[in-house]
Amino acid sequence: MATSILDSGDRRPTARERFERIRTVEFSDSIHPSRQLAQEASVLIREATKENPFVMGLATGSTPVPFYRELIRLHREEGLSFRNVVTFNLDEYHGLRRDHPESYFRFMHDQLFDHVDLPADQIHIPDGTIDIDAVYDYCQDYERCIEQHGGIDLQILGIGRTGHIGFNEPGSAIDSPTRMIALDRLTRRDAAADFLGEANVPRFAITMGVGTIMRARRVVLMAWGENKAEIVSQAVEGPVTDIISASFLQHHENATFVVDETAATCLTRNRCPWLVGPVTWSPAMMRKAVVWLARKIKKPVLKLIDEDYNENGMADVLAEHGGAYDVNIGVFNQLQHTITGWPGGKPGADDSYRPERAIPIHKRVVVFSPEPQDAVVAMGGTLERLVQQGHDVTLICQTSGNLRVADMEARKFATILEDIATGSQAWPEQQSYARTIQGLLDQKGEFGIDPAPVRHLKGLILRGEARDAAEACSLNEIKIRFLDLPFYEDGRYRRFNLGENDITATASVLAELRPHQIFTTGDVADPSSLQALCFRALLEAWSRDENRPWFSQCRVWLYRGKEKPLADHEIDMAVPLSPIQLERKINAIRKFQSIRQDEWEAASLNRTNATNYDSLGMAEYEAIESFQMLRNPRPH
Ligand code: F6R
């Protein structure tokens, strides 16, 4: 039977949870717990009456969306009524009108309120248009209003990467009330894609305080995806501190964290399971543990001694494997075998301990790139090697990437075209096109949404740059394809909806190219990200091809970007780059001029990989691109 989310029961913490100071329930994905929570909440909603309504505190953002979807389903299919529910939203950006596409008012109506029978006068969302001088009184009224409704019965929370709940950024006190707050840099950066640029993200927000949240009778914080893993572990296992406002929930009587397995990866129970209880010392577990130990005490693997293992909770590994010397050698070899200059396999070599098979010598390789720049940034050096080592490489840009392109790039193109067309009597259509684009850019203004012709033009600009970048990686022009997946073309970041057409388009390219090797993004840390969706499209497409002959011979390799690079113990293939090769990769990334891609950031990530390997006792390289093998490619 699934563990209840809302009812913690009367039980003592298990050994696994010894390090955890907030009850944390882990699920394999985000959909099942969201549905379960909605169903558990629906029981309480059905018990509510007009006189005694159920008061819910609600959050926005991508985290609660599956929860809201299930509430809507329960309303439509199982007659759940919201007539006796009163809601209070946590926060709102200051300075945004309610009809702004990114306002939380609009979000809540799109995601929940417009689809259920909750009366409008029972909905409360802080008003972002309140005049600055009136904000203090307004916030006090908001608090009073919550009290008048008897306080919050169930508070739903997400968590920001700064550890914020609501918009209680670092420095918020445990008893802070509803108030205006300046948003943290990281929070604004995380919202940058939604607002099409960090400069457009509001600087201030009105938020319920930590004190307001702490007074709720029950609190459930949900967190999905690996990019929440670090902050979840700090909030649950670290000290209570105003630097991480979610850590205050350690003092709440009835708070539960609900996490998927990726958001749980940094909890001690998963990060160092050997510290929590007995583990099976598989080769992968040994590598993880020994790399952790070497990092912790800053020693290369081959210099670890018995005492290091004993003093750091790993005595049983010695008991099982004889002593530090044998364990060290085993893990050193595992790490050593990940390093290869032949990412497509080395012809004629014994490949028993190599990451990739030697045969077939010339492989059909498909490299998927969610937006055109992603693959070049993550694996430009490997791409070049694959081509130069004679493989038949095709680069597939899954989406046009047009949302990344700045307005000024489109304007620049339109202006040049207009100048040319105006000088030539024969080009009235071009002149009119150029003027249309300029007019559309003027009309949409600062926060507006690009109309289709502008997005199309921006996509074409990026296409040209992608071709140049691919050429800089030695790839012939005909070997780059643009899928322009439909879900992207009329969507916005974090609001994309993957559809059947996206999967069919991906499946047909796989069926045509029948790859021996696929390289694709493993950047699924944020399940609502574009990369995660493109990855899902690939997995869905892949699972439809299961019975085709090429399928069983294909290996899938994952690359990662800067948000969540592979940890050393996760790397299955490490491709070293010489200083010259790294220089060429930097040059290839520079071709993406219209999106200001930071080539130095990519290079420094590759250099860090090399330094890390070096400090574990491997050879010292200039830079390394790293990959993980996808062992069980199945869509959830
Ligand atoms: C939003 C809110 C924030 C979000 C947090 C996580 O109302 O209160 O604390 O919950 O920023 O955002 P997502 O869910 O988009 O990762």
Side-chain angles (χ1 to χ4, degrees):
M1 208 181 77
T3 316
S4 167
I5 294 173
L6 291 181
D7 182 7
S8 58
D10 182 19
R11 74 191 177 94
R12 297 156 63 106
T14 62
R16 247 162 66 108
E17 295 159 3
R18 205 168 72 221
F19 294 82
E20 298 166 14
R21 300 174 186 150
I22 300 178
R23 177 172 178 258
T24 303
V25 192
E26 183 181 330
F27 290 80
S28 60
D29 62 13
S30 57
I31 301 301
H32 289 91
S34 302
R35 287 189 190 142
Q36 186 183 323
L37 177 60
Q39 280 154 20
E40 291 185 29
S42 75
V43 174
L44 304 172
I45 293 175
R46 287 183 206 274
E47 283 168 3
T49 60
K50 193 103 234 120
E51 299 68 44
N52 197 6
F54 187 61
V55 183
M56 292 179 84
L58 298 180
T60 56
S62 51
T63 306
V65 169
F67 168 69
Y68 294 148
R69 288 205 182 132
E70 179 65 7
L71 287 180
I72 295 169
R73 191 197 67 76
L74 288 167
H75 170 68
R76 286 190 181 148
E77 294 173 19
E78 297 186 21
L80 179 69
S81 170
F82 290 76
R83 297 230 146 254
N84 297 328
V85 171
V86 173
T87 65
F88 286 90
N89 260 84
L90 281 164
D91 40 19
E92 178 61 283
Y93 290 111
H94 190 256
L96 289 200
R97 287 199 327 263
R98 296 200 139 172
D99 60 355
H100 188 285
E102 294 305 325
S103 81
Y104 285 170
F105 181 91
R106 172 101 177 255
F107 177 95
M108 285 310 300
H109 283 78
D110 287 352
Q111 300 296 334
L112 179 66
F113 299 152
D114 286 352
H115 313 283
V116 295
D117 60 344
L118 179 65
D121 60 354
Q122 288 165 216
I123 295 171
H124 305 86
I125 304 177
D127 184 350
T129 63
I130 290 292
D131 202 66
I132 219 105
D133 301 331
V135 165
Y136 179 80
D137 289 341
Y138 177 82
C139 292
Q140 292 221 316
D141 287 348
Y142 201 73
E143 291 273 340
R144 256 193 301 276
C145 190
I146 296 175
E147 291 313 311
Q148 279 158 8
H149 283 88
I152 291 171
D153 293 307
L154 172 61
Q155 176 65 56
I156 301 295
L157 296 175
I159 182 169
R161 286 199 299 153
T162 58
H164 70 215
I165 46 179
F167 270 139
N168 290 285
E169 298 289 23
S172 300
I174 189 166
D175 56 356
S176 50
T178 299
R179 68 202 185 289
M180 173 103 127
I181 189 151
L183 296 177
D184 187 273
R185 180 87 203 274
L186 186 55
T187 302
R188 296 186 65 237
R189 206 182 299 158
D190 281 349
D194 305 347
F195 283 87
L196 308 178
E198 196 177 318
N200 304 330
V201 182
R203 296 187 173 277
F204 294 92
I206 297 178
T207 181
M208 275 187 200
V210 181
T212 330
I213 294 167
M214 293 297 281
R215 281 193 291 282
R217 282 182 274 283
R218 274 201 182 99
V219 176
V220 174
L221 184 149
M222 292 180 275
W224 320 132
E226 210 174 333
N227 64 351
K228 299 289 171 69
E230 191 59 50
I231 199 69
V232 163
S233 82
Q234 289 178 30
V236 172
E237 298 188 341
V240 175
T241 161
D242 66 4
I243 297 170
I244 297 170
S245 50
S247 70
F248 287 129
L249 294 170
Q250 293 183 20
H251 290 320
H252 194 285
E253 296 268 287
N254 197 349
T256 299
F257 275 35
V258 182
V259 293
D260 66 359
E261 67 187 18
T262 53
T265 45
C266 293
L267 293 172
T268 306
R269 59 165 111 161
N270 298 318
R271 191 168 39 97
C272 309
W274 53 90
L275 297 181
V276 173
V279 294
T280 309
W281 287 107
S282 65
M285 185 65 83
M286 294 264 275
R287 175 153 66 127
K288 180 170 172 164
V290 173
V291 167
W292 169 82
L293 178 63
R295 284 250 163 287
K296 181 165 184 246
I297 60 175
K298 299 193 172 52
K299 274 187 175 182
V301 170
L302 291 178
K303 286 193 178 173
L304 296 171
I305 54 174
D306 286 358
E307 284 75 4
D308 297 327
Y309 284 85
N310 286 337
E311 287 163 16
N312 289 283
M314 290 172 64
D316 59 329
V317 81
L318 298 186
E320 241 178 76
H321 287 86
Y325 182 81
D326 292 322
V327 178
N328 295 350
I329 295 275
V331 171
F332 179 86
N333 284 337
Q334 276 193 53
L335 291 167
Q336 182 65 31
H337 293 149
T338 63
I339 302 173
T340 182
W342 298 84
K346 186 168 184 182
D350 173 4
D351 58 9
S352 328
Y353 296 111
R354 292 181 168 274
E356 202 24 286
R357 303 145 295 169
I359 292 180
I361 293 178
H362 299 296
K363 295 190 171 61
R364 288 186 297 272
V365 182
V366 173
V367 176
F368 282 100
S369 191
E371 287 178 318
Q373 75 284 4
D374 290 326
V376 177
V377 170
M379 54 171 290
T382 304
L383 195 59
E384 184 176 40
R385 278 202 188 217
L386 287 164
V387 177
Q388 290 176 348
Q389 289 169 359
H391 301 288
D392 179 9
V393 184
T394 308
L395 174 64
I396 311 269
C397 300
Q398 287 160 285
T399 72
S400 70
N402 59 31
L403 287 171
R404 291 250 173 247
V405 178
D407 283 354
M408 59 180 272
E409 299 295 332
R411 198 179 285 283
K412 188 163 71 186
F413 174 84
T415 311
I416 295 173
L417 181 63
E418 195 193 359
D419 286 350
I420 298 172
T422 310
S424 153
Q425 292 300 328
W427 284 14
E429 281 168 21
Q430 284 78 353
Q431 187 184 51
S432 129
Y433 172 77
R435 289 191 176 151
T436 306
I437 294 291
Q438 285 164 335
L440 290 172
L441 286 168
D442 291 341
Q443 265 167 36
K444 83 167 191 145
E446 213 182 357
F447 291 129
I449 296 172
D450 280 344
V454 174
R455 285 188 73 165
H456 179 68
L457 172 59
K458 287 182 171 180
L460 291 179
I461 293 173
L462 202 48
R463 245 181 213 213
E465 294 175 354
R467 285 197 195 96
D468 290 349
E471 197 186 321
C473 296
S474 305
L475 199 68
N476 187 310
E477 192 182 310
I478 55 165
K479 287 295 183 182
I480 174 164
R481 296 215 198 163
F482 299 92
L483 285 190
D484 288 351
L485 289 181
F487 83 90
Y488 185 93
E489 289 311 302
D490 47 17
R492 281 172 78 80
Y493 288 110
R494 309 229 285 177
R495 307 270 174 93
F496 296 124
N497 279 320
L498 206 58
E500 180 53 31
N501 289 344
D502 304 301
I503 295 157
T504 323
T506 313
S508 81
V509 88
L510 283 180
E512 181 199 335
L513 295 173
R514 295 171 294 120
H516 298 105
Q517 258 193 331
I518 291 176
F519 287 84
T520 184
T521 180
D523 274 326
V524 294
D526 172 356
S528 68
S529 69
L530 166 70
Q531 284 72 12
L533 288 174
C534 285
F535 182 63
R536 238 181 62 210
L538 174 61
L539 288 193
E540 295 277 353
W542 167 271
S543 66
R544 291 180 191 186
D545 266 357
E546 249 166 333
N547 297 322
R548 305 199 191 224
W550 63 267
F551 182 90
S552 56
Q553 292 171 25
C554 180
R555 247 183 219 180
V556 181
W557 293 98
L558 305 178
Y559 57 77
R560 296 252 193 105
K562 65 177 174 7
E563 291 303 341
K564 194 77 196 168
L566 288 170
D568 300 328
H569 71 269
E570 294 173 322
I571 297 174
D572 293 318
M573 176 155 70
V575 181
L577 305 185
S578 70
I580 300 291
Q581 286 166 327
L582 184 63
E583 191 56 47
R584 280 208 297 275
K585 169 175 174 168
I586 290 172
N587 185 35
I589 300 174
R590 279 201 190 115
K591 307 289 180 197
F592 290 102
Q593 288 171 4
S594 70
I595 54 175
R596 318 251 177 282
Q597 192 63 47
D598 187 345
E599 64 273 17
W600 296 113
E601 199 170 41
S604 106
L605 207 66
N606 296 155
R607 286 202 175 99
T608 306
N609 281 339
T611 318
N612 288 347
Y613 257 45
D614 180 27
S615 66
L616 290 171
M618 306 289 112
E620 186 178 350
Y621 295 102
E622 172 72 9
I624 288 180
E625 288 178 342
S626 55
F627 304 90
Q628 187 176 37
M629 193 161 80
L630 184 62
R631 293 196 163 70
N632 185 17
R634 297 239 165 271
H636 268 305

